[in-house]
Amino acid sequence: MTENIYKLVELVGSSSESISDAIQNAIARASTTIRNVRWFEVVQIRGGVEDGAVAHYQVTLKIGFTLEEG
Amino acid sequence: MTENIYKLVELVGSSSESISDAIQNAIARASTTIRNVRWFEVVQIRGGVEDGAVAHYQVTLKIGFTLEEG
Amino acid sequence: MTENIYKLVELVGSSSESISDAIQNAIARASTTIRNVRWFEVVQIRGGVEDGAVAHYQVTLKIGFTLEEG
Amino acid sequence: MTENIYKLVELVGSSSESISDAIQNAIARASTTIRNVRWFEVVQIRGGVEDGAVAHYQVTLKIGFTLEEG
Amino acid sequence: MTENIYKLVELVGSSSESISDAIQNAIARASTTIRNVRWFEVVQIRGGVEDGAVAHYQVTLKIGFTLEEG
Amino acid sequence: MTENIYKLVELVGSSSESISDAIQNAIARASTTIRNVRWFEVVQIRGGVEDGAVAHYQVTLKIGFTLEEG
Amino acid sequence: MTENIYKLVELVGSSSESISDAIQNAIARASTTIRNVRWFEVVQIRGGVEDGAVAHYQVTLKIGFTLEEG
Amino acid sequence: MTENIYKLVELVGSSSESISDAIQNAIARASTTIRNVRWFEVVQIRGGVEDGAVAHYQVTLKIGFTLEEG
Amino acid sequence: MTENIYKLVELVGSSSESISDAIQNAIARASTTIRNVRWFEVVQIRGGVEDGAVAHYQVTLKIGFTLEEG
Amino acid sequence: MTENIYKLVELVGSSSESISDAIQNAIARASTTIRNVRWFEVVQIRGGVEDGAVAHYQVTLKIGFTLEEG
Amino acid sequence: MTENIYKLVELVGSSSESISDAIQNAIARASTTIRNVRWFEVVQIRGGVEDGAVAHYQVTLKIGFTLEEG
Amino acid sequence: MTENIYKLVELVGSSSESISDAIQNAIARASTTIRNVRWFEVVQIRGGVEDGAVAHYQVTLKIGFTLEEG
């Protein structure tokens, strides 16, 4: 692996479906404006509650991508 | 948002199905005795193993709710 | 519960399916060489990304098992 | 100090004024239903933003009080 | 283990005798008002000092108990 | 709340006045270039000292904002 | 900046007024016996409660100062 | 001390007697299969409760030992 | 409590007897050179092992004392 | 120091040479697109292994820079 | 990447030369008995002191390797 | 090892050369006024940046030494 430099940005994905879906949504959104997205790390899982049930999941995650030459 | 005061309680939900189900179970149980449940935060995900497979998921989570006037 | 002694090992399970599947894979693999696996604790959830979507989930977890008499 | 037993509850106080005011609000509310409140520990300071300015402060704090004989 | 739901409360036990005694005191007190206490987790060990010697131990611990059906 | 995606950036606000002022300064500056700023989370409070008194407060905080469609 | 060596000491300032005042009190006291105090880092904010209101704030902070040549 | 290499394993010792006894039990068991055990570090102290009293202490600890030449 | 200022120092007490004894040893030693020692907080419990048994306990603790007027 | 506002970004520098070189690489790359880089904080040191030797070091670090007027 | 399962072991490498050398020593030793070592993560850097100078560096690190089919 | 008592002080060493050099500088300085320095533990590695390159490394470390009889 050559001397790559990577950058990490922190996003919060949300979904009324599932934890995985919230992660997918964040990565999909990031990939619309960031190239070379390589990995993610979950920071926190939380969510909103309505009428005694989970209304949506909110997953805070760091997304790592390779920085192209400056 | 006016000067709301919220309280956090810590529950452990369990489920033989999935992580999300364990979260739902805890929130559903909390909502039977607590009004105005607003959000949850996952503290830890663990579980029991039997015969080389996950027997059940145990999710420790904090549940936040609005305190009504004292 | 008598004076059991337990040991914890740290594994990383991966799966292109889901977080739960990654956990199951790690426990299944551990159980092929370790007896009396009793519980697991999730340490970290991360994963790889390809073409703007989650390629696989990688879940770091500690697996606890009962040590038989020395 | 004799063998006191204390209990900790976790509240979130909010205030559009200041961090101290958010703490005071939480303690005042707790004291309406809890006797012998002795101390507090700040867990987290966060808040809401509207139109580029702090709308309100939200301070998560643990409040300790002496438990009376069971 | 069926879909139990557990609750965690945080107490501080104190004792002029020992750390274990402070833990026992907190659990004994909790059990006077809480049924089905199952486990404890030590959060912090501190204490007071008088005349160059430990006056009392104060152990902060979380106590877990099974919630009965709502 | 629909499937919003939020981004978190980390700023350090400083002020010779107060902790709250340092927070306000950071949020005001962020809002000049970022739309939909929704919340902040204090990460660390530190500061500089001159002649035995606080010269300025430096508050590290995460600022969350809603990402518009990609 | 040449090869300075700094030392960190940990103090707890208290004040019945405010968090900032508790910080100022600790730094003022430190500066009576320590030269070249350069910065502070807040470790914890807690306090005492009397009659349902904050009696005093107690701020634990690390204070950094430049060590003069040995 | 020459270029020793050490390994850390994580065990959970349990005892109905005391915290120290739980530590001793884990180290005794480890020493039946591991040579050159040098030190231990307590990671967590928890335990089981029955009838309002501590049934047993469970101490998670890391045990360090010198690795012999490969 | 007036505007006291406290200082925290970090010591490691050791004892071949017990954890409490290691704490007592550290506090006794501190009190020979420090006045107004008020409290202690355990930071870490570790120890040395010889011949498969605990040789000594080493308890790292912070000791808090009231600073007299500068 | 006037009311500066700083921003922190998180990069991962890599180098087959050394930890310091990985830090230098990340800072050099950041400085090609960011003005007023002032400081860095190491978050994590990890790396890749090939044929029983370190192939490259990967250092995650936060880089702080002064934000110019908005 | 197929459904690999990885294991993490925790070693302490030491060296009188440098931090990197201590890391290399630990990885070299691990590789004599473990196949497919893939990565390392530094957990802690400490060391021994003699006559006012660093006698040796001790680096605690987790070493990850691919588990072959059970 | 008899019932030694150790003390920990926290220093920040700096060096324009390297991380190890910053550690050495701190230990050398500590040893000019403290006897029986035994070990060090790195707490944080940070540094200053000038013109896109590392100007100096700043390593915060705890230094442990044996306390002589009171």
Side-chain angles (χ1 to χ4, degrees):
Chain A
M1 194 164 66
T2 64
E3 309 315 33
N4 279 327
I5 307 291
Y6 306 93
K7 185 171 182 182
L8 285 155
V9 292
E10 197 164 14
L11 298 184
V12 182
S14 56
S15 160
S16 51
E17 299 303 315
S18 70
I19 293 169
S20 304
D21 198 50
I23 293 172
Q24 298 275 10
N25 289 345
I27 289 169
R29 175 60 183 77
S31 303
T32 62
T33 53
I34 300 173
R35 275 194 294 274
N36 310 312
V37 175
R38 284 283 169 279
W39 82 92
F40 69 91
E41 304 167 26
V42 171
V43 175
Q44 189 189 41
I45 300 171
R46 51 190 292 154
V49 175
E50 281 161 30
D51 307 325
V54 175
H56 57 272
Y57 296 94
Q58 289 179 312
V59 180
T60 304
L61 60 154
K62 293 194 175 180
I63 291 178
F65 56 97
T66 317
L67 274 183
E68 286 148 7
E69 292 298 320
Chain B
M1 192 162 68
T2 65
E3 311 314 33
N4 279 326
I5 307 291
Y6 307 91
K7 185 171 181 182
L8 285 155
V9 292
E10 198 165 12
L11 299 184
V12 182
S14 56
S15 160
S16 51
E17 298 303 317
S18 70
I19 293 168
S20 303
D21 198 49
I23 293 171
Q24 297 275 10
N25 288 345
I27 289 170
R29 175 60 182 76
S31 303
T32 62
T33 53
I34 300 172
R35 276 194 293 276
N36 311 310
V37 175
R38 284 284 168 279
W39 81 90
F40 69 91
E41 304 167 28
V42 170
V43 175
Q44 188 189 38
I45 300 171
R46 53 189 289 154
V49 175
E50 280 160 30
D51 306 326
V54 175
H56 57 272
Y57 295 95
Q58 288 180 313
V59 181
T60 304
L61 61 152
K62 292 193 174 179
I63 290 176
F65 56 98
T66 316
L67 276 182
E68 286 149 7
E69 292 299 320
Chain C
M1 193 161 65
T2 64
E3 308 316 33
N4 279 326
I5 307 291
Y6 307 92
K7 185 171 182 182
L8 286 154
V9 292
E10 197 165 11
L11 299 184
V12 182
S14 56
S15 161
S16 50
E17 298 303 315
S18 70
I19 293 169
S20 303
D21 198 49
I23 293 172
Q24 298 274 12
N25 288 345
I27 289 170
R29 174 60 183 76
S31 302
T32 62
T33 53
I34 300 173
R35 277 193 295 274
N36 311 311
V37 175
R38 284 285 169 278
W39 82 90
F40 69 91
E41 303 167 29
V42 171
V43 173
Q44 188 189 42
I45 300 171
R46 52 190 291 153
V49 175
E50 281 160 31
D51 307 327
V54 175
H56 58 272
Y57 296 95
Q58 289 180 311
V59 181
T60 304
L61 61 153
K62 292 194 175 178
I63 290 177
F65 56 98
T66 316
L67 276 182
E68 286 149 7
E69 292 301 318
Chain D
M1 192 162 65
T2 64
E3 310 315 34
N4 278 327
I5 307 291
Y6 307 91
K7 185 171 181 182
L8 285 155
V9 291
E10 197 166 12
L11 299 184
V12 182
S14 56
S15 160
S16 50
E17 298 303 315
S18 70
I19 293 168
S20 304
D21 198 49
I23 293 172
Q24 297 273 12
N25 289 346
I27 289 170
R29 175 60 183 76
S31 302
T32 62
T33 53
I34 300 173
R35 277 194 293 274
N36 311 310
V37 175
R38 285 284 168 279
W39 82 91
F40 69 90
E41 304 166 30
V42 171
V43 174
Q44 189 189 40
I45 300 171
R46 51 189 292 151
V49 175
E50 281 161 29
D51 307 325
V54 175
H56 57 273
Y57 295 94
Q58 290 180 312
V59 181
T60 305
L61 61 152
K62 292 194 175 179
I63 291 177
F65 56 97
T66 317
L67 275 182
E68 287 149 5
E69 293 299 321
Chain E
M1 194 160 63
T2 65
E3 311 315 34
N4 279 328
I5 306 291
Y6 307 92
K7 185 172 181 181
L8 285 155
V9 293
E10 197 165 13
L11 299 185
V12 182
S14 57
S15 160
S16 51
E17 298 303 317
S18 71
I19 293 169
S20 304
D21 198 47
I23 293 172
Q24 296 275 11
N25 288 346
I27 288 170
R29 175 60 183 76
S31 302
T32 62
T33 53
I34 299 172
R35 277 193 294 273
N36 309 311
V37 175
R38 285 284 169 277
W39 82 89
F40 70 90
E41 303 166 28
V42 171
V43 174
Q44 188 188 41
I45 300 171
R46 53 189 290 152
V49 175
E50 281 160 31
D51 308 326
V54 175
H56 57 273
Y57 295 94
Q58 288 180 314
V59 181
T60 304
L61 60 155
K62 292 193 175 179
I63 289 177
F65 57 98
T66 316
L67 275 182
E68 286 150 7
E69 291 300 320
Chain F
M1 195 160 67
T2 63
E3 311 313 34
N4 279 326
I5 307 290
Y6 307 92
K7 185 171 181 182
L8 284 154
V9 292
E10 198 165 12
L11 298 184
V12 182
S14 56
S15 160
S16 50
E17 297 303 318
S18 70
I19 293 169
S20 304
D21 198 49
I23 294 171
Q24 298 274 11
N25 288 346
I27 289 170
R29 175 60 183 78
S31 302
T32 63
T33 53
I34 300 172
R35 277 193 294 275
N36 310 311
V37 175
R38 284 284 168 278
W39 81 91
F40 69 91
E41 303 167 28
V42 171
V43 174
Q44 189 189 39
I45 300 171
R46 52 189 293 153
V49 175
E50 281 160 29
D51 307 326
V54 176
H56 57 272
Y57 295 94
Q58 290 180 312
V59 180
T60 304
L61 61 153
K62 292 193 175 181
I63 291 177
F65 55 97
T66 317
L67 274 182
E68 286 149 7
E69 293 299 319
Chain G
M1 192 164 63
T2 64
E3 309 316 34
N4 280 326
I5 307 291
Y6 307 92
K7 185 170 181 182
L8 284 155
V9 292
E10 197 165 13
L11 298 184
V12 182
S14 56
S15 160
S16 51
E17 298 304 316
S18 70
I19 293 168
S20 304
D21 198 49
I23 294 171
Q24 298 274 9
N25 288 346
I27 289 169
R29 175 59 184 78
S31 303
T32 62
T33 53
I34 299 172
R35 278 193 294 275
N36 311 310
V37 175
R38 285 283 169 277
W39 82 91
F40 68 91
E41 303 167 27
V42 171
V43 174
Q44 189 189 41
I45 299 171
R46 52 190 290 154
V49 175
E50 281 160 29
D51 306 326
V54 175
H56 56 272
Y57 295 94
Q58 289 180 310
V59 181
T60 305
L61 61 154
K62 293 193 175 179
I63 291 177
F65 56 98
T66 317
L67 275 182
E68 285 147 10
E69 292 299 320
Chain H
M1 195 163 65
T2 63
E3 308 316 32
N4 278 327
I5 307 292
Y6 308 92
K7 185 172 181 181
L8 285 155
V9 293
E10 197 165 13
L11 299 184
V12 182
S14 57
S15 161
S16 51
E17 298 303 315
S18 70
I19 293 169
S20 304
D21 198 50
I23 294 171
Q24 297 275 10
N25 288 346
I27 289 169
R29 175 60 183 75
S31 302
T32 63
T33 54
I34 300 173
R35 278 193 293 274
N36 311 310
V37 175
R38 285 284 169 278
W39 82 90
F40 69 90
E41 304 166 29
V42 172
V43 174
Q44 188 188 41
I45 300 171
R46 53 189 290 152
V49 175
E50 280 161 31
D51 307 326
V54 176
H56 57 273
Y57 295 94
Q58 289 179 312
V59 181
T60 304
L61 61 154
K62 292 193 174 179
I63 290 177
F65 56 98
T66 316
L67 275 181
E68 287 148 6
E69 293 299 320
Chain I
M1 194 161 62
T2 64
E3 309 316 34
N4 279 326
I5 307 291
Y6 307 92
K7 185 172 180 181
L8 285 154
V9 292
E10 198 164 13
L11 299 184
V12 182
S14 55
S15 160
S16 51
E17 298 303 316
S18 70
I19 293 169
S20 304
D21 198 49
I23 293 172
Q24 296 276 10
N25 288 346
I27 288 170
R29 175 61 183 75
S31 302
T32 62
T33 54
I34 299 173
R35 279 192 293 275
N36 309 311
V37 175
R38 284 285 168 278
W39 82 91
F40 69 90
E41 303 167 27
V42 171
V43 174
Q44 189 189 38
I45 299 171
R46 53 190 290 152
V49 175
E50 280 160 30
D51 306 326
V54 175
H56 57 273
Y57 295 94
Q58 289 179 313
V59 181
T60 304
L61 59 154
K62 292 193 175 179
I63 290 176
F65 57 97
T66 317
L67 275 182
E68 286 148 7
E69 293 300 319
Chain J
M1 196 163 65
T2 64
E3 310 314 33
N4 278 327
I5 307 290
Y6 306 93
K7 186 171 181 182
L8 285 154
V9 292
E10 198 165 11
L11 299 183
V12 182
S14 55
S15 160
S16 50
E17 298 303 320
S18 70
I19 293 169
S20 304
D21 198 50
I23 294 172
Q24 298 273 11
N25 288 346
I27 288 170
R29 175 61 183 77
S31 302
T32 62
T33 54
I34 299 173
R35 278 194 293 273
N36 310 311
V37 175
R38 284 283 169 279
W39 82 91
F40 69 90
E41 304 167 28
V42 171
V43 174
Q44 189 189 39
I45 299 171
R46 51 190 292 151
V49 175
E50 281 161 29
D51 307 326
V54 176
H56 58 273
Y57 295 95
Q58 289 180 312
V59 181
T60 304
L61 61 155
K62 293 194 175 180
I63 290 177
F65 57 97
T66 316
L67 275 181
E68 285 149 7
E69 293 298 320
Chain K
M1 195 164 65
T2 63
E3 310 314 34
N4 279 326
I5 307 291
Y6 307 92
K7 185 171 181 182
L8 285 154
V9 292
E10 197 165 12
L11 299 184
V12 182
S14 56
S15 161
S16 50
E17 298 303 319
S18 70
I19 293 168
S20 304
D21 198 50
I23 294 172
Q24 297 274 10
N25 288 346
I27 289 170
R29 175 60 184 77
S31 302
T32 62
T33 53
I34 300 173
R35 278 193 293 275
N36 310 311
V37 175
R38 284 285 169 277
W39 82 90
F40 69 91
E41 303 166 28
V42 171
V43 174
Q44 190 189 39
I45 299 171
R46 53 188 292 154
V49 175
E50 281 159 32
D51 307 326
V54 175
H56 57 271
Y57 295 94
Q58 288 180 311
V59 181
T60 305
L61 60 153
K62 293 194 174 179
I63 290 176
F65 56 98
T66 316
L67 275 182
E68 286 149 8
E69 293 299 320
Chain L
M1 194 163 65
T2 65
E3 310 314 33
N4 279 326
I5 308 291
Y6 306 92
K7 185 171 181 182
L8 285 155
V9 291
E10 197 165 12
L11 299 184
V12 182
S14 56
S15 160
S16 51
E17 298 303 316
S18 70
I19 293 168
S20 303
D21 199 49
I23 294 172
Q24 298 274 12
N25 288 345
I27 288 169
R29 174 60 183 78
S31 302
T32 62
T33 54
I34 299 173
R35 276 193 294 275
N36 310 311
V37 175
R38 283 285 169 277
W39 82 91
F40 69 91
E41 305 166 28
V42 171
V43 174
Q44 189 189 40
I45 299 171
R46 52 189 291 153
V49 175
E50 281 161 29
D51 308 326
V54 175
H56 57 272
Y57 296 94
Q58 289 180 312
V59 181
T60 304
L61 61 153
K62 292 194 175 180
I63 290 177
F65 56 97
T66 316
L67 275 181
E68 286 150 7
E69 292 299 320

